[in-house]
Every structure is written in structure tokens, then in C-alpha cells.
Amino acid sequence: MRILITGSSGFIGKNLTSELKNRGYKDLLLFDLDSDPSLLNQFTKECDFVFHLAGVNRPKDNDEFTSGNKGFTEELLDSLKQNNNFCPILLSSSIQATLDNPYGTSKKEAEDLFAKYPNKAFIFRLPNVFGKWCRPNYNSVVATFCYNIAHDLPITINDPETILNLVYIDDVVDCFIKALEGDVIIEDGFCIVPTVHTVKLGTIATLLEGFKESRNNLSVPNMSNSFEKALYSTYLTYLPEDQFSYQLKMNKDDRGSFTEIIRTLDRGQISVNVSKPGITKGNHWHHTKTEKFLVVSGKASIRFRKIGSDKVLEYQVSSTTLEVVDIPPGYTHDITNIGEEELVTLMWANEVFDPERADTYYEQV
């Protein structure tokens, strides 16, 4: 299948093109502002489907709205007609098509042209779209906030209570490709992206500031919240290229080190424990706290003794076969490096350590 994509180098176009390739669509006809104009006639002869994403939203002059939105749409449809090619076509429009402003009017005029198309014409009236590769400080508040906060630049919020309706780029692309494959949701005559996030402007800013601070407090976003998950993924793409990594605080002594990686209130914390050969750590127990130990380098002996009992249990584990050892409450336990190299253990605890309620009691195994 030969697929024509206008506006292919734009935000939505780049994401769509990449995912089409991921799904095995290789014969893509890419047309953009910098393309040779003569290619449009050639592509409209050959294409079996059209994604019409090209448009103008931040012109120097309002007349460019008409020429870039209605005008180019008319040119595209005329080219298809001249080539007697009435393949299915999809238009990326905007919810602003219902508004009385130059941009909205030009989008509505483009939609009206599609309404006369003699074959399948899918019209998506999209709300604000956010995600990777969106240009900051242009026409996307999410992209601007992500970029500015990641680069320690100020953001402007006139009214934090302002409500935004947002769709995530991956959801948009998925719905576009479903339309290509004949599976689309239509409401009131327009195709829709079913997952719409309704969020306050102030909430977006607060979340993004939290993402920035997470490198210091070791928190992670609430991945069960689809918007927060998508926003965090978006935010990371705007990090300065020399700031993809960050250092952690290592608590070192002559036995080795202990370093926290992630700390969450609802999923506990993850740490890395490094022990030198012959070193034993632990010899304590908990009432409620539970842990999981996973040796990722070296060899260890993990021993347990139930409080009030003389019976000692031992598990010898190594990185040769990755094996998780659960540390149950009510058992004093220790871990000893019985190898010749440093022992590296990934440790998870079901709760964040609270010095006011440590739930950790010393007792030799």
C-alpha cells in the first residue's frame, strides 16, 4: 500500500511516519513544505491512502491560514481528481473549526471540502495534542512547559484553573492507523480519539515541577494514571542532551555501599547494596516490612532465623542464575558475600524507610 502523508515532517507527521514503518508500512510518499511542488501530482497518481496533516497554525499574516489550510487542501483534492484517484483520505483538523477566528474558519473550510469528497473521508477534530517531538515555545503549552522547566526557564500561567483537553500523540497515531485499516470511531460525523485528558493548566505545571524534583527525592510518577505516565514520557524528551544522566547519593563505608534508586509512597523503594568479600550485612528483623533480594553480581549466602526459634535457614544465590529471595517479617536475616569479588544486590522494600518508625530490630541470625 502506497501512503501519501502531507505535513510529514511536522509533529504529528513524524510520529505517524515512524509508527507506520514500525508496523510494516514501507511505501510512504512524504510531502512537506520543503518538497518539490511537482511531487504532489506524482504522489496523488500513485497513492492508495492519504494522511492530510499539512496546515498552518502560526502564520505571520492571517491570510496564510486560508492559503495553508483551505487552499492547500483544495490543491490536494484537485490533484487527486485530475488523476482520477479517489482513494480514502484522512484530514487532521482541529476543535477550533467550531470557533469564529481565522484559524478555525480556515479549518472549517478545509473540512467542508472534504465533505464533498466522493470516497471515504475521515475527519479528526483534534484537541490539543502533546507528546515527543512537539516544538516548544510555538503553539503547544505542554511542549513549552516541558522544555522551559527542563531547561530552568520560567513559565507563564495567567490562570492555573484553565481547563485543557489533551490527546496524547501515541493515541492519535494509533487512531489514524486504525482509520487506515478500516477501524474508526465516529461521533456526530467526526472521527474521534477516545482517550481525552481533561486537566487544569496549574496541574500540568505542578506535575512537571515534580518530575524535575524527582531526581532529588527519587520519586517516580503515578504510572497507573495514563495522563501522568504520558506527560512524564513527554517531559523526558525535552531534557538537555547533556542531562540525561544524574548521580545518586552513595552511602559508603569499609564494608561497601548502599544506594537508593527509587523511593515511592505506594510501591516502596529500590536500592543497590554492594558488599566486599567476606562482609555480612543485616542481622535484623521487621514486624511488617518486607524485602526482596536479587543478586546481580557475585555470590551470597542469605540466612534466616524465625524470632524465638534456633533453626537457621540458608539460601546460597548468585548472578549465575537470577533468583529472588523474599525476606518475610518476623525472621532475622543477614546476607554475606561468599565470593571473591564484590557482591551487588538489588533490594526492594515494600515501604520507604522512616527513621521515626524504622521497624528494624537488631538480632544476630
Side-chain angles (χ1 to χ4, degrees):
M1 175 180 281
R2 293 159 297 181
I3 301 171
L4 168 58
I5 304 174
T6 71
S8 57
S9 66
F11 164 44
I12 297 178
K14 285 193 293 185
N15 279 274
L16 176 63
T17 299
S18 297
E19 184 58 18
L20 284 169
K21 291 177 180 178
N22 290 340
R23 300 193 191 188
Y25 293 97
K26 303 299 183 183
D27 200 354
L28 306 180
L29 309 174
L30 307 182
F31 189 86
D32 209 276
L33 186 64
D34 297 329
S35 300
D36 183 337
S38 66
L39 286 175
L40 184 63
N41 184 61
Q42 176 185 329
F43 289 166
T44 54
K45 285 181 182 178
E46 303 172 359
C47 63
D48 302 302
F49 192 97
V50 179
F51 287 103
H52 181 33
L53 314 179
V56 174
N57 51 33
R58 286 290 292 271
K60 295 179 181 179
D61 186 286
N62 282 344
D63 289 341
E64 293 180 40
F65 280 131
T66 301
S67 60
N69 294 326
K70 177 191 176 184
F72 182 68
T73 300
E74 200 165 33
E75 183 180 350
L76 171 66
L77 295 177
D78 284 346
S79 185
L80 288 166
K81 181 178 180 181
Q82 290 170 9
N83 287 310
N84 198 32
N85 181 3
F86 297 104
C87 65
I89 187 167
L90 181 151
L91 172 66
S92 174
S93 187
S94 167
I95 56 173
Q96 291 203 41
T98 62
L99 302 180
D100 185 18
N101 60 50
Y103 175 66
T105 298
S106 66
K107 280 295 188 181
K108 180 62 170 62
E109 289 173 339
E111 291 179 359
D112 291 342
L113 292 171
F114 262 60
K116 301 174 184 177
Y117 192 68
N119 198 352
K120 292 180 181 178
F122 305 100
I123 302 175
F124 280 81
R125 278 187 173 176
L126 299 176
N128 298 286
V129 186
F130 73 103
K132 66 183 182 301
W133 304 336
C134 186
R135 180 178 170 184
N137 295 295
Y138 184 59
N139 69 337
S140 167
V141 66
V142 172
T144 299
F145 279 13
C146 284
Y147 179 89
N148 286 15
I149 289 173
H151 288 77
D152 295 317
L153 298 172
I155 61 173
T156 300
I157 303 177
N158 294 323
D159 181 4
E161 296 298 310
T162 298
I163 299 293
L164 297 180
N165 290 315
L166 302 164
V167 286
Y168 185 47
I169 186 61
D170 287 7
D171 295 329
V172 172
V173 167
D174 186 59
C175 287
F176 280 11
I177 296 177
K178 283 182 177 178
L180 167 70
E181 297 172 348
D183 180 15
V184 68
I185 301 175
I186 298 177
E187 290 185 1
D188 299 324
F190 296 94
C191 304
I192 66 164
V193 178
T195 302
V196 179
H197 306 281
T198 301
V199 191
K200 292 181 180 180
L201 187 61
T203 299
I204 295 173
T206 299
L207 286 170
L208 292 174
E209 293 287 2
F211 299 161
K212 184 178 181 66
E213 178 59 22
S214 68
R215 288 187 166 189
N216 297 318
N217 60 27
L218 305 183
S219 65
V220 292
N222 179 9
M223 293 299 170
S224 65
N225 182 297
S226 60
F227 175 71
E228 195 165 337
K229 178 181 177 182
L231 186 65
Y232 181 66
S233 295
T234 302
Y235 168 76
L236 290 181
T237 67
Y238 291 92
L239 289 173
E241 292 182 354
D242 61 350
Q243 293 183 27
F244 287 167
S245 68
Y246 59 102
Q247 292 187 342
L248 298 169
K249 179 185 177 183
M250 295 181 66
N251 302 290
K252 296 181 180 180
D253 58 26
D254 56 1
R255 302 175 302 161
S257 66
F258 182 81
T259 306
E260 287 185 74
I261 303 174
I262 292 174
R263 186 187 303 143
T264 69
L265 294 177
D266 62 337
R267 293 293 186 271
Q269 66 183 47
I270 299 174
S271 308
V272 172
N273 186 64
V274 179
S275 300
K276 295 180 180 179
I279 292 297
T280 297
K281 293 183 179 181
N283 283 309
H284 60 239
W285 64 281
H286 316 288
H287 279 301
T288 302
K289 181 184 294 184
T290 65
E291 298 170 288
K292 292 180 183 289
F293 291 176
L294 174 63
V295 171
V296 294
S297 180
K299 186 176 182 181
S301 167
I302 301 174
R303 301 190 306 157
F304 303 86
R305 181 176 59 80
K306 189 175 184 179
I307 298 303
S309 170
D310 295 329
K311 184 178 181 180
V312 176
L313 307 174
E314 181 183 16
Y315 289 81
Q316 289 194 5
V317 293
S318 73
S319 56
T320 302
T321 302
L322 295 181
E323 183 177 353
V324 174
V325 179
D326 275 317
I327 312 298
Y331 282 79
T332 186
H333 52 277
D334 63 24
I335 179 169
T336 302
N337 183 349
I338 58 175
E340 298 179 355
E341 306 293 335
E342 285 189 337
L343 171 68
V344 181
T345 308
L346 185 68
M347 295 181 171
W348 171 83
N350 69 330
E351 60 184 37
V352 174
F353 178 74
D354 179 1
E356 300 297 322
R357 184 182 167 277
D359 190 18
T360 300
Y361 308 95
Y362 173 80
E363 184 167 332
Q364 288 279 352
V365 174

